[in-house]
Amino acid sequence: MLAYSLAYLLSNENRCSKLRFHEGNLSLDLSRTLVNEHDLAQLVDLLSRRLVDQRLVDMHTGQLVNTSEKRPVLHTLLRGTIDDSSSEYLVNEKLFINEQHQKMIDFVNKVHSGVILTPNGKRVSSVINIGIGGSDLGPAMVFEALSSNYSNLVEIRYLSNIDIHDFNKATKDLDPTATMVVVASKTFTTFETLLNLNRVVSWLSQGSDSRYVKDQLVAVTSAQDLALHFGIKAENIFQFKNYVGGRFSLASPIGMSIALGYGVQVFDELLEGMAQGDSFSLSGNHESNATMQFALNLYHHRTVLGMQTRAVLPYTSALGRFPAYLQQLIMESLGKSVTHSGEVTDECGIMVFGEPGTNAQHSFMQYLHQSPQIVPVDFIVILDANPKSAHGLLVNAIAQANALAIGKSATDLNLEGVPEDLIPHQVMQGNRPSSVIAIKDLSAVSIGQLIAFYENVVSILGILWGINAYDQWGVELGKEMSANLINSINARNLDNLDESTKWILQKYLDAN
Ligand code: F6P
């Protein structure tokens, strides 16, 4: 398969310059990946053969591209990317989006200025965002990413898992009478979120008149009726519609915790960056478009070269949650094995894992350098970072990329005088592909561009593979099964369960 020599390909100036791309605050270098000029031409041709431009237009104009759920996919409308004047439907949806956005902005400004107080008459000093999956990962990732450049106006905590340790951590040292709770849930039915919500309501009741505790709650949801039914006031409910998938919902009021934490201007800058990222993905020719080229490169390594796994290594701790965020975005979107028409395919899906560098170097990088499996790597570096550590981070990322690409031969080791018996252990094959994504800085605009970049790459990959990147039926069965098992545990009745399930649940019941 590896008819590529990266050492050779990297010496070809013409090829390398063709594999460098720029989009706003992002630069992308694909020169260390396993593509030659012939592959490049074929891949670009694939964009036309798969009607990628037309399919993107279909998405942006509200066609039912989420075929299994018969829904449009309009998260890009949230950041105003699309020319919404093209249909009455889009005009109306944009009006709705703007209205909810404005409602959220006014609310957040009133919290910051003290016009909105807690029911105890205190200024809001902390916010707990309860949510999971797309209602947590995006906001929590961005909140951390921006933390070195922006100051908090209020303390923000994220609560997603139902483990009591998480609850204790999220509420630790907070004053329940000065805390506001954002319940972020598209469906408002998610088990974990509702369990945490009930726990938090009890915690809020300490020191407060329980009749008013629910006034401390804010809901972000597309199921307003359920939030109202729970007792959340209509003026505290911010909506988005079901044409925005959970993992694509950051630009909706789901991102409210970012606005509460850093102010509405920062949130709007994030949206501005996302809008720019969207327009980059649609502009220019295919040969020079970073988003298209990155999607094609991922397609090539996965489908043509058969590399199913990918590592994402941000060389900044500020992007510590980025791999987890990307895992949902990429794996929930592209982890499918049938096409739109239901035909089985085994060519799609990418398993993603990652950890900030340099930490990753001291844990799993050994596998990437010498295991029999080849795992392409995305190195994400920040150009304008903290000067004290920036050199070290950048240099380490590039050194790793070079070590993967060039490796070290037995001949070189021999010349260095390495003992014969150690040579096989120290040989590094090289030819291991990686990309470098260089971000100008950790500003809200740049982070917005990065998010939109990956979101659009996912949409393009969905089109190239002919799969629905917007449903997640696989998650549903597990939800159903856990609901049944909870009933069995509550009733302490394990009849009708298979032997393995009975064994572990019995052990749990014995221990409790
Ligand atoms: O279980 C997966 C999932 O449905 C994700 O797609 C979604 O982001 C998450 O659960 C949370 O869902 P909700 O926002 O409806 O609570």
Side-chain angles (χ1 to χ4, degrees):
M1 177 204 30
L2 291 177
Y4 302 92
S5 159
L6 278 177
Y8 170 74
L9 292 174
L10 282 170
S11 63
N12 180 337
E13 197 184 330
N14 184 37
R15 170 189 172 272
C16 290
S17 67
K18 275 194 194 155
L19 287 165
R20 282 185 214 116
F21 308 91
H22 304 281
E23 271 184 5
N25 294 353
L26 304 190
S27 300
L28 172 68
D29 180 6
L30 298 176
S31 60
R32 293 184 189 82
T33 64
L34 302 179
V35 280
N36 55 33
E37 308 221 9
H38 172 75
D39 299 325
L40 278 177
Q42 293 238 316
L43 287 167
V44 167
D45 190 44
L46 188 69
L47 291 171
S48 331
R49 283 191 281 122
R50 297 279 197 273
L51 305 175
V52 170
D53 291 328
Q54 182 53 46
R55 296 286 165 263
L56 287 175
V57 171
D58 292 348
M59 176 174 109
H60 290 311
T61 53
Q63 310 302 310
L64 304 183
V65 298
N66 176 352
T67 45
S68 72
E69 296 179 304
K70 302 196 172 37
R71 288 178 189 165
V73 172
L74 283 171
H75 52 269
T76 47
L77 196 58
L78 294 165
R79 46 252 197 173
T81 315
I82 310 161
D83 173 14
D84 53 49
S85 59
S86 58
S87 82
E88 202 185 326
Y89 170 71
L90 291 181
V91 171
N92 289 336
E93 291 313 318
K94 189 66 189 165
L95 281 176
F96 173 81
I97 286 169
N98 288 346
E99 185 190 288
Q100 292 301 311
H101 183 74
Q102 194 54 48
K103 181 179 171 185
M104 185 195 83
I105 295 299
D106 292 345
F107 183 90
V108 171
N109 279 334
K110 284 182 186 163
V111 169
H112 289 152
S113 63
V115 173
I116 291 179
L117 300 170
T118 69
N120 296 278
K122 292 194 183 171
R123 282 188 83 129
V124 175
S125 60
S126 50
V127 170
I128 302 176
N129 185 86
I130 305 177
I132 197 161
S135 299
D136 166 74
L137 288 164
M141 178 276 286
V142 171
F143 190 76
E144 193 174 353
L146 301 184
S147 61
S148 50
N149 271 358
Y150 304 91
S151 324
N152 275 26
L153 300 171
V154 296
E155 170 89 20
I156 305 287
R157 304 272 175 93
Y158 290 91
L159 177 56
S160 54
N161 200 2
I162 49 180
D163 194 308
I164 196 72
H165 294 293
D166 292 52
F167 173 80
N168 290 340
K169 209 167 135 196
T171 52
K172 191 169 188 295
D173 297 332
L174 297 188
D175 173 2
T177 63
T179 299
M180 174 175 279
V181 175
V182 176
V183 192
S185 178
K186 178 176 170 179
T187 57
F188 217 83
T189 57
T190 303
F191 169 76
E192 293 87 341
T193 299
L194 295 182
L195 190 145
N196 274 326
L197 172 58
N198 285 310
R199 268 185 192 156
V200 167
V201 167
S202 315
W203 174 80
L204 288 174
S205 308
Q206 300 162 30
S208 293
D209 184 332
S210 57
R211 281 175 302 169
Y212 304 116
V213 159
K214 288 189 177 167
D215 293 352
Q216 267 165 270
L217 306 178
V218 166
V220 183
T221 186
S222 57
Q224 168 160 249
D225 47 340
L226 298 182
L228 285 170
H229 183 73
F230 188 84
I232 299 178
K233 294 190 294 188
E235 64 257 43
N236 287 8
I237 300 177
F238 304 89
Q239 300 179 70
F240 60 104
K241 295 213 184 159
N242 67 12
Y243 52 65
V244 177
R247 52 192 176 274
F248 297 92
S249 63
L250 180 72
S252 78
I254 285 287
M256 185 169 184
S257 54
I258 300 163
L260 281 162
Y262 297 124
V264 295
Q265 195 189 329
V266 175
F267 187 63
D268 280 344
E269 283 167 16
L270 181 80
L271 265 51
E272 178 56 30
M274 294 178 91
Q276 291 167 0
D278 291 338
S279 57
F280 297 144
S281 74
L282 297 170
S283 60
N285 60 39
H286 291 157
E287 283 79 3
S288 61
N289 186 301
T291 316
M292 295 277 183
Q293 288 294 332
F294 192 55
L296 288 174
N297 200 275
L298 264 60
Y299 172 92
H300 176 71
H301 286 80
R302 168 64 184 90
T303 302
V304 181
L305 303 179
M307 298 169 188
Q308 304 187 4
T309 310
R310 198 163 186 100
V312 177
L313 310 182
Y315 271 67
T316 166
S317 295
L319 288 175
R321 295 295 287 154
F322 195 68
Y325 158 78
L326 265 196
Q327 274 174 331
Q328 187 199 13
L329 180 66
I330 295 183
M331 293 170 76
E332 200 167 77
S333 301
L334 303 173
K336 313 288 161 64
S337 41
V338 289
T339 63
H340 282 284
S341 57
E343 277 165 45
V344 174
T345 170
D346 61 2
E347 294 195 334
C348 58
I350 300 173
M351 198 190 96
V352 179
F353 69 98
E355 184 67 19
T358 62
N359 298 36
Q361 292 171 206
H362 302 280
S363 62
F364 54 72
M365 282 299 289
Q366 165 61 31
Y367 187 94
L368 306 187
H369 286 295
Q370 285 189 309
S371 85
Q373 203 188 39
I374 300 182
V375 179
V377 182
D378 297 327
F379 290 97
I380 301 180
V381 297
I382 313 298
L383 297 177
D384 177 13
N386 176 351
K388 287 194 202 100
S389 55
H391 301 348
L393 291 169
L394 181 79
V395 161
N396 267 285
I398 301 309
Q400 292 295 318
N402 285 340
L404 288 166
I406 309 299
K408 193 155 203 178
S409 67
T411 318
D412 286 346
L413 289 163
N414 210 343
L415 286 174
E416 282 176 16
V418 173
E420 199 69 20
D421 60 329
L422 284 185
I423 287 181
H425 299 277
Q426 295 190 11
V427 165
M428 306 254 282
Q429 288 167 339
N431 284 330
R432 301 205 165 204
S434 68
S435 74
V436 175
I437 299 172
I439 310 173
K440 181 169 166 266
D441 52 25
L442 286 168
S443 64
V445 170
S446 299
I447 296 299
Q449 289 182 6
L450 178 71
I451 293 167
F453 172 73
Y454 269 104
E455 281 185 356
N456 291 313
V457 165
V458 163
S459 289
I460 296 165
L461 281 168
I463 297 169
L464 292 174
W465 283 322
I467 58 172
N468 186 351
Y470 309 107
D471 60 8
Q472 59 284 318
W473 295 101
V475 188
E476 297 308 319
L477 181 61
K479 287 186 191 171
E480 239 174 69
M481 286 189 174
S482 52
N484 293 339
L485 293 184
I486 282 192
N487 293 338
S488 304
I489 288 205
N490 288 343
R492 299 186 85 86
N493 178 355
L494 306 184
D495 297 345
N496 304 325
L497 297 178
D498 67 71
E499 290 309 312
S500 300
T501 311
K502 210 183 275 177
W503 174 77
I504 186 66
L505 293 197
Q506 190 58 56
K507 267 184 133 20
Y508 177 79
L509 287 175
D510 293 346
N512 287 282

